[in-house]
Amino acid sequence: MIEQFGKIIVNYIAEIGEMVLLTVDIFRQMFKKPFEEKLILEQMVKIGVESIPVAVTTALFTGMVLALQAGYTLETKIQGVSQFIGSVVSISMVRELGPVLTAMVIAGRMGSSAAAEIGTMQVTEQIDALYTLAANPVKYLGVPRFLAFTFMLPLLTMFADLVGWVGGLVVCATRFTTSTVYIDSTLSSLNSSDILGGLIKATFFGAIIAIVACWQGFGTTNGAEGVGKATTNAVVFSFMLILISDYFLTSILTVLGF
């Protein structure tokens, strides 16, 4: 039993080491010429623009449900407290739900896609062909995805925050209080540090998704079965690391005043 536990610990440490080395390699290749502007823009379109409907839909109904639950809970305990629904929805969306849910949606949609694409290239020896052509696979495949994830996820998060807030506004105005009260409550409680803290989280989450997807893709083996396994692992590991890092980022940002 001790031996098996030790193997699990060693495997986890080895996996962490592989991700760290890949991250260092990505940063090293990022500043080397030539710069792949076309590939970066293509990935930004795929990750950002094409993911807007999914992210916006998720945020809209999250904000609506949050306003509905908060309104009923507050009114059940203390009559008239529903005037603070705007504060509850806006702060929750901007600081936690917006960045985390958007990151999870993008990890499920585009993180898995990136892992499957790179994994397929790995098992069909296209990665080896890049080496033959004197092209670094990390620079050609990893850097564009890393930059696209880290840049587009904060933008998607801003869209999600706004749409989630509007969803809460609709529910609040139709069931509990007026839109003016909702807006005033939001303005009185939300400040720029809350928004900036959420965007910082989103940037880190984007980097996590990109690194995990590339790590799983480059490490793919065993043909089609390996591609499926890498795709699943990319999503699972991304979810786990997003939630784990969210706690530590929240602790750090709170100490820094965000």
Side-chain angles (χ1 to χ4, degrees):
M1 183 180 65
I2 295 174
E3 182 181 359
Q4 291 299 321
F5 181 74
K7 289 181 179 179
I8 293 174
I9 298 298
V10 170
N11 288 335
Y12 272 117
I13 294 174
E15 290 173 350
I16 293 172
E18 290 173 359
M19 283 192 285
V20 170
L21 292 176
L22 177 60
T23 304
V24 172
D25 199 8
I26 287 175
F27 276 100
R28 185 187 299 118
Q29 297 296 329
M30 190 183 303
F31 301 101
K32 290 184 178 181
K33 295 182 179 181
F35 301 112
E36 304 289 348
E37 296 90 350
K38 183 178 179 181
L39 293 176
I40 295 171
L41 290 175
E42 288 177 356
Q43 292 300 318
M44 284 183 175
V45 171
K46 290 174 61 177
I47 294 168
V49 178
E50 295 179 6
S51 299
I52 288 177
V54 179
V56 164
T57 303
T58 303
L60 175 64
F61 286 96
T62 300
M64 294 174 70
V65 169
L66 183 60
L68 194 64
Q69 292 285 12
Y72 281 127
T73 301
L74 292 174
E75 285 293 335
T76 301
K77 300 297 180 182
I78 304 175
Q79 192 71 23
V81 184
S82 58
Q83 61 181 309
F84 299 108
I85 293 177
S87 301
V88 174
V89 174
S90 59
I91 293 177
S92 299
M93 286 298 302
V94 167
R95 300 189 67 170
E96 286 297 330
L97 294 178
V100 172
L101 290 180
T102 303
M104 286 189 166
V105 169
I106 299 304
R109 184 182 186 276
M110 296 308 305
S112 59
S113 175
E117 185 177 353
I118 297 175
T120 301
M121 296 180 70
Q122 178 69 29
V123 298
T124 56
E125 299 182 354
Q126 295 180 52
I127 302 293
D128 296 333
L130 289 176
Y131 281 117
T132 304
L133 297 172
N136 190 299
V138 173
K139 182 173 180 60
Y140 186 77
L141 299 173
V143 172
R145 286 166 175 79
F146 180 85
L147 293 176
F149 273 110
T150 53
F151 183 76
M152 296 307 296
L153 201 61
L155 297 181
L156 288 172
T157 300
M158 286 193 288
F159 275 108
D161 292 342
L162 179 60
V163 172
W165 181 84
V166 171
L169 173 63
V170 172
V171 171
C172 186
T174 55
R175 288 179 176 266
F176 301 107
T177 183
T178 63
S179 59
T180 303
V181 173
Y182 182 90
I183 294 171
D184 290 340
S185 175
T186 299
L187 294 177
S188 64
S189 60
L190 191 66
N191 52 56
S192 58
S193 62
D194 296 321
I195 299 173
L196 183 58
L199 296 180
I200 291 173
K201 285 185 179 181
T203 304
F204 276 93
F205 295 159
I208 288 171
I209 297 170
I211 291 168
V212 171
C214 293
W215 166 57
Q216 286 292 326
F218 286 124
T220 303
T221 55
N222 299 329
E225 181 182 355
V227 174
K229 185 178 179 180
T231 304
T232 303
N233 287 342
V235 176
V236 172
F237 279 112
S238 294
F239 282 10
M240 291 174 59
L241 290 177
I242 287 169
L243 294 175
I244 293 171
S245 63
D246 182 47
Y247 169 77
F248 292 103
L249 286 172
T250 301
S251 301
I252 295 170
L253 292 173
T254 302
V255 173
L256 295 176
F258 290 98

